[in-house]
Structures are given as C-alpha cells and as structure tokens.
Amino acid sequence: MEATKFLLSENDIPKQWYNISADMPNPMQPVLHPGTGQPVGPDDLAPLFPMAIIMQEVSQDRWIDIPEPVRDIYRLWRPTPLHRARRLEEALGTPAKIYYKYEGGSPAGSHKPNTSVAQAYYNSAEGVKRIATETGAGQWGSALSMACSFFGLQCKVYMVKVSYNQKPYRKSMIRAWGAEVVPSPSEDTQAGRSILEGDPNSPGSLGIAISEAMEDAATNDDTKYSLGSVLNHVLLHQTVVGQEAKKQMEMAGDYPDVVIGCVGGGSNFAGLSFPFAMDKIAGKDVTLLAVEPAACPTLTKGQFLYDFGDTAQLAPLVPMYTLGHDFIPPEIHAGGLRYHGMSPLICQLYKDGIMDARSYHQVEVFKSAVDFARCEGIIPAPESAHAVKAAMDEALKAKEEGKEKSILFNLSGHGHFDLAAYEDFMDGNLKDYEYPEKAIQESIKALEGLPVPQ
Amino acid sequence: MEATKFLLSENDIPKQWYNISADMPNPMQPVLHPGTGQPVGPDDLAPLFPMAIIMQEVSQDRWIDIPEPVRDIYRLWRPTPLHRARRLEEALGTPAKIYYKYEGGSPAGSHKPNTSVAQAYYNSAEGVKRIATETGAGQWGSALSMACSFFGLQCKVYMVKVSYNQKPYRKSMIRAWGAEVVPSPSEDTQAGRSILEGDPNSPGSLGIAISEAMEDAATNDDTKYSLGSVLNHVLLHQTVVGQEAKKQMEMAGDYPDVVIGCVGGGSNFAGLSFPFAMDKIAGKDVTLLAVEPAACPTLTKGQFLYDFGDTAQLAPLVPMYTLGHDFIPPEIHAGGLRYHGMSPLICQLYKDGIMDARSYHQVEVFKSAVDFARCEGIIPAPESAHAVKAAMDEALKAKEEGKEKSILFNLSGHGHFDLAAYEDFMDGNLKDYEYPEKAIQESIKALEGLPVPQ
C-alpha cells in the first residue's frame, strides 16, 4: 500500500532552531523604540524578556542550539506526523499530492507549545517567577499556561473578550494548567480600563490584549512578558516544524511545489516555511503561500509601514504590513488571526517576493474544513482551516491544469474548542464580514507622522 | 537523557488482533437469546451485525487478521506513543516507574476508533448503508461517525441525554462528520417513548440508549447496529493497544508489574490488558487492575448473573457482573462509565482471579487528573482519569513500601470535551454521589427468575 504517513524517530527532533535572519536577501529593518523612535537595543527589552530571548531576537546566527530540557518536553508530542491526504485527493479528483504536517497533537492542541516551552524555560533559567501574556482564540494562552506549569512559573493570560465568550473551554483549559485568565479589555490594567471607558462592550483584539499584558509585565517586578507570535524568537522556535517536514518530504521522495500556512502573527506559517525559504533563497523553485482572513487582510490589503504592535502604543514600532493598531477586526471565529500586524520577518520576505499571500472569507473556509474532516478525520482549528482551503484550491487548480503538483500545508491545530463555530456553519448561521475598508483606511491614516521604513 | 517516550514505526501497527477466548482458563459462558433463553447463534445476530463481525464474536482463533483498509486508516493515529511520566514520578517522589499508553491522539480523541473503523469497514464490505448506535460521553458516537464518513455510511447516534447536555461540543463533532445525533431517551423509538412516559426528565443511561439503537436497527432494513464496548469483537479490535504497548515496554527494557485501565463496558482496559493477560495465564506475575466509578461499581459491587445488555430487554442475556439493567447510574461526568453491566470476557477473567478491580469517587479522580495535567501536559478524559488516579495510588504505595515497581496505564482519551467538569472541580462545585445501594439492590432483585450462570 502506498505510504500515507511519514514518521520520524525521537532522535529526529531537531537539535537546533533555524534563524532565517542569517539568509535573508534584505535584512529586516530595525524595530524602533515607541518613545524615542531610535532602534531598540537589548537594554530596552530587558524589562520585558529574559536576556537569552533578547539575544535570540537580534541574533544573526543561522543555527541556534535547542536546550536539552526544551527538547525533553518537545518529546511529549514531537516529532509530529506528516500525512498524505490521499482520501482528500481522491475526493477532489486531483492529480496533486497533498501533504499536511499535523501540529494539533500537542497537549495544548496546536503548534504553540514549540515556543511556549522554550520561553518558559528561558524565563525560569533566569529566575523569573511570573509571566503575563495575551491570547486570541486561546491556543497561545493554553500553550503558555501548560509550559509554565512544567517550570513552576505563575502565569496570567489576558484573553480577547470575544474569544473568551465564544470558547469557554479554552479558559477552563488555561485554568486546569494553573494559570489565571481574564477577558480583555479588563479592569486589571490602565490600558484595559481606558478601552472600556470608550466602549464598555468592546469585543477586544489582540492589539488591546498585548497592551494589557505588556503593562502587567512593566508594572510588576517579578513578571516578564511573553508573546506567542510576531517576534523573531517566536518564529525561530517554530522552525522545528519545517525542519521535520523537510525530512519527512524526503522520506516521501518528494519536495513541495507550494508550502502553505495560515497567518495571524505568522508563527505557524514561518515555522513550516522558513526551512523551505532557505532553499528558495538559494535558488530552489517553491511557492510559499501565507493565507489570511479577508476580514483582517494584513498582507493582502495592509501597507508596509512602521506601526505599534499593540493598541496602547506600549510596544515597539515594527516595520510590517499593517492595518493600523487602532483597527479592531470583525469577530470572525479564527480569533488567532485577528491581528492588525504581522511578523516583520515575514513582511520583509513578502516585500522581497520570497513569499506570497492570499485571503479567504470564513464561510468558504469552514466548508473546506468540514470536507477535510470527512475525508481525513481531523477537525481543523478555524485558523488552520484557512490553510486547508488554500491547499484544496491549489489541488483543484492542478486538476484544471492537468498538472502533477506537491502541496504541503501546516495543519497547525485541531478545532475541538471551536465546535460552536462548526455548529453555526452546519446550521447555516455563520456569516461573512465585508472587507472593512473604511475602518482600515482610517486606522492606517492615523499612522501618518510615524517613521517610514526604507 | 533517560528515555521518556517510546515510538514505534508504521510497520509496527499490529497485523492481527488478539482473541483472548483462545487462552482463557474457563471459557465465557454462552450469551442467551432474550426471548427463548437458549444460546444465541450467528443467525440470531444477523439482523444486527454483518456476518464478519458475528464470526469474530464467536471465534476461538487466537489471532485474527486486520484487513488492510482498516490498517490504512489506523495509520492516521497509530502507532500511538508510550510515555514515561517522569515529571509525575518526581512530583510524587516515588521509586515507581509510571508508563502510559496515550490513545487520545486519534482524531476522535480516544481509543474508540480502533473498533469503529473496523466495524464500519465490515458493514460497508457487506453492503450495509446505515448504522445506528448509542453513546454515553460521546467518545463512541464521534468515533463511529468519523469511521462512517470514511466509508460513506449513514450514521445515527442516540446520545445519553445527560451527556448530550453536558457536552454540546461532542454533539457538534458527531455532526461535523456527517452523522445524525439525538438525545436519548428520544421520541424516535418505542423504547425511548416508553421511558419518557414514565419519566419525562430521565437523564438517560447507556442501557436505554442501547435499546433505542437496537430498535432502530431491528426496524430499519438498511440499518445495522454497532456497539462501542462490551462485546467480544469490540474488545478484540482494541487489542492493538496492548500489542503495541508490549513492544514499547520492551523498548523501555521493562515489563509492567501492574496494568491499569478504566472500565465502563471494558474495551479500553481489555485492549491494553489482554495481551498482558495472555502472559499472566501462561504464568507471568502481573496485576491487571480495572478501575470503575464508585457511583456505578459493576465489578466491585455487582453480582455475576445473566442480565440484559439494555434497559428495554431487547439485547441478549449476557453472563456478567451487573447492577441490574433497570439501574440508572448517578450523573457523574465520566459518562462513558455509566453502564450497569460489563464485558462478559472481563467478567469471566475477573471471576477467575486473572483480573482485579477497584472503584473511586469522582472528586478524587478529578484531583488526580489536574495533578497529572500539570506534570505531563495532557488533560485526561474523566473516564481515563480513573486510571490516572489508580496509577498514582499504586506509585504512592510503592513509595511507602520502598519498592521499585513498573506501572502501566491506558490514557484512553483526552478531556477537551469535559472542561466544564474540570471548571466545576476547580470551582469546588463538583460533588460525589453516595454509593446507590438501595437502587442497585432493587434492580438486581428484579433479575430473579432469569437464568443463572454456572
């Protein structure tokens, strides 16, 4: 029988992370201090992050060793399987081969523990006692609370209110691992209170929740801040995904023509695609496709500008495609993708033509997710379902063109906490949001006067 | 670093199931026709099951080949990992080694697809178009609906009402895979209507839901019935778990002193333990421990009698430990364990001293589950948490006695759909139920006049 699953051994868990900064055709432009407008240095970041993380954030080394205690915990769910979606291929009648890397088998149900465990480890090693963070759909908050429980750290999670209400089980999961979780905007921070004064019914956003968590870390001596995406060290940690996938594609005797991931802050897409981007930069022909929600179309409709990573303008100015830090995305179910900005590494690579991007509306995304589940079993997270939809479209395009083609996508998480959204979809109650053009124009206009990337 | 995870390759997925009937010191006594009281033959079962399943039910062959299309789907999540719970051992300060086989990585989140896929395959191969089944907590209903989606079968699931209400996401999951699901007792069957007449607020039970599903199959020509536990062929299919675990314990250079699983109908415990029971019957010293809820203590408080498998007395008379088919267990969160009877294979082995049993209350079980999650990451299903509690107690006993000891348990499923129960536990709102002695006495008394096993 033709192979449909490619398994690595425990020894194949990568021993180093891959740092794409060493290989980029054009370097990422500097991150700027929100007050001074000058490039941020390690000292500026010291109140927020442990020094080991800061050094990774600015490192130009191509390979960075993974500490053994981190690899030891990775073994709980790594190496993750690479599957060939043969039943889906048959259902689509496509000549394309569809492969997916499944990261939903981690105890937190997504790729997020690849970095949460590393971050908790480095904080613990430097004597930090408590970590504050934000979470959208809850994948990151649960991943960090789990990691903190392994290292005996306290953890507080500011969870975007719309997701807090849509996904009560994510909140329970975070609590089960011993962390504290509050809906954001909350009354616990100045940033939260000021949003609530303006709009007591604010659904929240990742930008707001980041402001709250950063304020918590900045105002509590024993507390550092942790982010689940966007930043260089986060994407670095996720490259275990793509490194494993490359080996597994070799086992399959294949190499992808297109590599696909959903993007909110960009970490799961970067994790899968950066090791392939290394090949592309060296001349290999491979398409790297980022998929985002049409309701929050950062790469496809945003502008490449300096913008704050958060709503309250506490975070540094980042050179990225942005919809403006004031933009509050519509309440789509893919809460993890409701972010106004994007990883600056991905943005630079997108600007330089190394990466492509595409957007979808949520109803078509859920339809693909259900089709996928009925062929392949796994019910995708709404975020990951954006990648499923793109992979299916690529496979149908190959069918039209009569081309053999190898498609690889990151099934970054399962949808066990998103079944209310599936229920809405199946009952015909799920709706699409129009492209929020006016709100985006306004929030981008508000960026006038900020530095502009070269 | 000492190994904590034992991974098999794809080729290690078993090629045969192990049938313990070939090795039992005393054979299981015959199942009797509910009407005639005579031993049931293949013809009696033909309206309910495809012939391949019936032949497995009565087979005395030690090994039965697994069809390739079933193994092909097993590859979606098999082989499953065996972990050593080293962080838990450290937290308990025990000299014992604790191993767990994790079956929650299947797309349905439990061990149940090991048999649902086989059952759907055999039904499909014999031209069946539709399957009716019951489910307690929803693990079985979701596993069967997934399997039916792979083979293009329709599926209707009668879900015990208390679980239907406690776990709305399980219902959505069943629907996502294309099956129909109704709360049981339902208005859709005579069995359901007659229960509702007597008690419109009946919380339901597995016994009632089985009656409804059997009636559905018996009254619809294109429909067969499927059961997720109890029966011989179901336990047979689950032996892939124990066969893999034996290989993995060899990789660890170890052999368990005690093998633990939770029991409702008995399939996950049998799946892990039967391959070890084979060794025990041949003289090996190993304890096989079934763990059940104190609110539904079939093995520890029931009597070995002939009883009906279901409430409406449609199912055959089975020689088993039972609490009486009229007994409706208290509404504990481990809905999958709320069954009045028990696999007759396990009952015979328990009666013959090959297996042991123990019961726990749910609050202590949830406490162990949270402790486990904070050490090992995975949040157990409430059912599986019974095994976690017993494993932790065995490890603490080893500590008291200063003994090295190897403990193996089946972490048969994750608790992603049970987080409302965890929330109740963490808020101090979870309660224990007193041992329902009077109700059990009454329902056992009602069995007078039925045949009695030898």
Side-chain angles (χ1 to χ4, degrees):
Chain A
M1 186 168 301
E2 206 177 353
T4 57
K5 184 183 192 179
F6 304 94
L7 288 178
L8 299 171
S9 79
E10 209 171 347
N11 289 331
D12 294 316
I13 298 173
K15 296 189 171 58
Q16 298 181 306
W17 291 301
Y18 168 60
N19 180 11
I20 201 167
S21 296
D23 290 322
M24 289 168 73
N26 293 302
M28 186 188 124
Q29 297 187 43
V31 168
L32 306 180
H33 191 283
T36 65
Q38 294 301 306
V40 159
D43 287 352
D44 297 312
L45 298 172
L48 294 175
F49 301 107
M51 197 47 66
I53 296 267
I54 294 171
M55 296 322 290
Q56 290 181 355
E57 187 66 18
V58 299
S59 171
Q60 295 296 312
D61 297 341
R62 182 172 291 114
W63 299 101
I64 295 179
D65 288 347
I66 305 177
E68 269 308 308
V70 173
R71 286 187 80 237
D72 186 36
I73 293 180
Y74 277 176
R75 293 197 253 176
L76 268 174
W77 70 94
R78 304 211 73 82
T80 63
L82 181 85
H83 295 275
R84 177 151 165 221
R86 206 154 36 78
R87 279 178 297 275
L88 179 64
E89 292 168 14
E90 279 165 23
L92 297 172
T94 178
K97 294 178 182 172
I98 306 176
Y99 300 88
Y100 60 96
K101 180 74 169 161
Y102 182 47
E103 291 289 310
S106 78
S110 78
H111 64 295
K112 294 287 187 186
N114 296 328
T115 182
S116 73
V117 169
Q119 293 191 47
Y121 166 76
Y122 288 119
N123 274 282
S124 164
E126 296 187 23
V128 174
K129 300 296 177 208
R130 182 173 175 276
I131 300 183
T133 196
E134 72 291 325
T135 195
Q139 287 187 342
W140 170 243
S142 43
L144 186 66
S145 63
M146 179 184 81
C148 285
S149 82
F150 293 151
F151 291 101
L153 299 170
Q154 290 179 273
C155 180
K156 178 160 181 178
V157 180
Y158 295 86
M159 183 170 182
V160 175
K161 198 199 284 171
V162 56
S163 291
Y164 185 93
N165 293 330
Q166 277 172 349
K167 305 183 193 183
Y169 285 12
R170 275 282 177 200
K171 174 191 65 172
S172 309
M173 192 177 210
I174 291 167
R175 290 187 64 202
W177 281 313
E180 181 187 0
V181 52
V182 293
S184 165
S186 78
E187 294 285 352
D188 297 0
T189 66
Q190 182 51 47
R193 286 188 295 270
S194 79
I195 295 280
L196 289 172
E197 270 166 36
D199 177 8
N201 297 318
S202 166
S205 70
L206 278 169
I208 295 170
I210 293 172
S211 296
E212 292 207 271
M214 286 185 71
E215 180 185 326
D216 184 319
T219 55
N220 285 293
D221 271 351
D222 62 347
T223 302
K224 297 280 184 195
Y225 169 68
S226 170
L227 191 69
S229 192
V230 180
L231 298 181
N232 302 356
H233 67 274
V234 179
L235 277 61
L236 174 80
H237 299 157
Q238 293 294 350
T239 58
V240 291
V241 177
Q243 291 182 65
E244 287 181 8
K246 273 177 87 166
K247 275 197 190 173
Q248 289 164 310
M249 290 298 296
E250 274 177 38
M251 288 171 73
D254 209 343
Y255 191 93
D257 296 295
V258 53
V259 176
I260 300 171
C262 67
V263 285
S267 77
N268 93 75
F269 174 60
L272 180 63
S273 69
F274 278 6
F276 294 96
M278 181 172 71
D279 297 349
K280 181 166 186 170
I281 293 166
K284 188 100 183 172
D285 182 19
V286 52
T287 298
L288 308 173
L289 180 60
V291 188
E292 58 188 12
C296 189
T298 314
L299 289 173
T300 53
K301 300 279 190 178
Q303 292 184 29
F304 190 68
L305 294 169
Y306 267 110
D307 193 7
F308 298 98
D310 70 323
T311 304
Q313 309 183 9
L314 297 170
L317 283 162
V318 179
M320 60 182 178
Y321 285 87
T322 181
L323 303 170
H325 60 270
D326 285 337
F327 173 61
I328 295 185
E331 298 174 23
I332 55 169
H333 282 281
L337 307 184
R338 293 180 67 242
Y339 185 59
H340 68 276
M342 179 66 64
S343 146
L345 287 175
I346 288 179
C347 290
Q348 186 67 48
L349 291 163
Y350 178 62
K351 188 163 175 283
D352 290 341
I354 307 291
M355 297 188 151
D356 294 324
R358 183 186 297 172
S359 75
Y360 288 112
H361 283 286
Q362 70 173 353
V363 173
E364 61 189 345
V365 163
F366 272 90
K367 184 177 180 316
S368 296
V370 168
D371 290 346
F372 180 84
R374 291 183 186 179
C375 290
E376 298 296 320
I378 299 166
I379 297 177
E383 291 83 0
S384 319
H386 287 72
V388 173
K389 166 68 176 160
M392 288 170 67
D393 277 3
E394 289 295 308
L396 291 171
K397 199 173 82 180
K399 182 183 180 180
E400 270 174 35
E401 296 172 349
K403 277 190 193 162
E404 286 208 15
K405 192 180 195 175
S406 291
I407 299 162
L408 167 64
F409 73 92
N410 196 356
L411 189 56
S412 57
H414 62 62
H416 298 173
F417 300 98
D418 305 282
L419 283 159
Y422 276 90
E423 189 87 1
D424 280 351
F425 168 74
M426 290 183 290
D427 290 337
N429 294 333
L430 200 67
K431 68 166 183 168
D432 282 334
Y433 292 88
E434 286 198 34
Y435 166 53
E437 189 167 4
K438 197 162 162 242
I440 290 173
Q441 278 175 350
E442 278 173 21
S443 59
I444 288 181
K445 195 157 187 295
L447 303 182
E448 279 176 18
L450 290 175
V452 175
Q454 305 298 308
Chain B
M1 187 168 302
E2 208 177 351
T4 57
K5 184 182 191 179
F6 304 95
L7 288 178
L8 299 171
S9 79
E10 209 171 346
N11 289 332
D12 295 315
I13 298 174
K15 296 188 172 60
Q16 297 181 308
W17 292 301
Y18 168 60
N19 179 11
I20 201 167
S21 298
D23 290 321
M24 289 168 73
N26 293 302
M28 186 188 123
Q29 297 189 42
V31 168
L32 307 180
H33 191 283
T36 66
Q38 294 302 306
V40 160
D43 288 352
D44 297 311
L45 297 172
L48 294 175
F49 302 107
M51 198 45 67
I53 295 268
I54 293 171
M55 297 321 290
Q56 290 181 355
E57 187 65 19
V58 300
S59 172
Q60 295 296 313
D61 297 340
R62 182 172 290 112
W63 299 101
I64 295 178
D65 288 347
I66 305 176
E68 269 307 308
V70 173
R71 286 188 80 237
D72 186 36
I73 293 180
Y74 278 176
R75 293 196 254 177
L76 267 175
W77 69 94
R78 304 211 73 82
T80 63
L82 181 83
H83 294 274
R84 178 150 165 222
R86 207 153 35 78
R87 279 177 297 276
L88 180 64
E89 292 168 15
E90 278 164 25
L92 296 172
T94 178
K97 293 178 181 173
I98 306 175
Y99 301 89
Y100 60 96
K101 179 75 169 162
Y102 183 47
E103 290 289 311
S106 78
S110 77
H111 63 293
K112 294 287 189 187
N114 296 329
T115 182
S116 73
V117 169
Q119 293 191 46
Y121 167 76
Y122 288 119
N123 274 283
S124 164
E126 295 187 23
V128 175
K129 299 296 177 210
R130 181 173 176 276
I131 300 183
T133 197
E134 72 291 326
T135 195
Q139 287 187 343
W140 171 243
S142 43
L144 186 66
S145 62
M146 180 184 80
C148 285
S149 83
F150 293 152
F151 292 100
L153 299 170
Q154 290 178 274
C155 179
K156 178 161 181 177
V157 180
Y158 295 86
M159 184 169 182
V160 175
K161 198 199 285 170
V162 56
S163 291
Y164 186 93
N165 293 330
Q166 276 171 350
K167 304 183 194 185
Y169 285 13
R170 274 284 176 198
K171 174 191 67 173
S172 309
M173 192 176 210
I174 291 166
R175 290 187 63 203
W177 281 313
E180 181 188 358
V181 53
V182 292
S184 165
S186 79
E187 294 285 351
D188 297 0
T189 67
Q190 182 52 45
R193 286 188 295 271
S194 78
I195 295 281
L196 288 172
E197 270 166 36
D199 176 9
N201 297 317
S202 167
S205 70
L206 277 169
I208 295 170
I210 292 172
S211 296
E212 292 208 270
M214 287 185 69
E215 181 186 325
D216 184 319
T219 54
N220 286 292
D221 271 351
D222 62 348
T223 302
K224 298 280 185 195
Y225 169 67
S226 170
L227 191 69
S229 192
V230 181
L231 298 180
N232 303 355
H233 67 275
V234 180
L235 276 62
L236 174 79
H237 300 156
Q238 292 295 351
T239 58
V240 292
V241 178
Q243 291 182 66
E244 286 181 8
K246 274 177 87 166
K247 275 196 190 175
Q248 290 164 308
M249 289 300 294
E250 274 177 36
M251 288 171 73
D254 209 343
Y255 191 93
D257 296 295
V258 53
V259 176
I260 300 171
C262 66
V263 285
S267 77
N268 93 75
F269 174 60
L272 179 63
S273 69
F274 279 5
F276 293 96
M278 180 173 71
D279 297 348
K280 181 167 186 169
I281 293 166
K284 189 99 184 172
D285 182 18
V286 52
T287 298
L288 308 173
L289 180 60
V291 188
E292 58 188 11
C296 190
T298 314
L299 289 172
T300 53
K301 301 279 191 179
Q303 292 185 29
F304 190 67
L305 294 169
Y306 268 110
D307 193 7
F308 298 98
D310 70 321
T311 304
Q313 309 183 8
L314 297 171
L317 284 161
V318 178
M320 61 182 175
Y321 286 85
T322 181
L323 303 170
H325 60 271
D326 286 336
F327 173 61
I328 295 186
E331 298 173 23
I332 55 168
H333 282 281
L337 308 185
R338 293 179 68 241
Y339 185 58
H340 67 275
M342 179 66 64
S343 147
L345 288 175
I346 287 178
C347 290
Q348 187 66 48
L349 291 164
Y350 177 61
K351 188 163 174 285
D352 291 340
I354 308 291
M355 296 187 152
D356 295 323
R358 184 186 297 173
S359 76
Y360 289 112
H361 283 287
Q362 70 174 353
V363 173
E364 60 189 347
V365 163
F366 272 90
K367 181 175 182 319
S368 296
V370 168
D371 289 346
F372 180 83
R374 291 184 184 179
C375 289
E376 298 296 320
I378 298 165
I379 297 177
E383 292 83 2
S384 320
H386 287 72
V388 174
K389 166 68 176 159
M392 287 170 69
D393 277 4
E394 290 294 308
L396 290 171
K397 199 173 82 181
K399 181 183 180 179
E400 270 176 34
E401 296 172 351
K403 277 190 192 162
E404 286 207 14
K405 193 178 192 176
S406 290
I407 300 162
L408 168 64
F409 73 92
N410 196 355
L411 189 56
S412 57
H414 62 63
H416 297 171
F417 300 97
D418 306 281
L419 283 159
Y422 276 89
E423 189 87 359
D424 281 350
F425 168 74
M426 291 182 290
D427 290 337
N429 293 333
L430 200 68
K431 68 167 184 169
D432 282 334
Y433 292 87
E434 287 198 33
Y435 166 54
E437 189 167 3
K438 196 159 163 242
I440 290 173
Q441 277 174 351
E442 278 173 21
S443 60
I444 288 181
K445 194 156 188 294
L447 304 183
E448 280 175 18
L450 290 175
V452 174
Q454 304 300 307

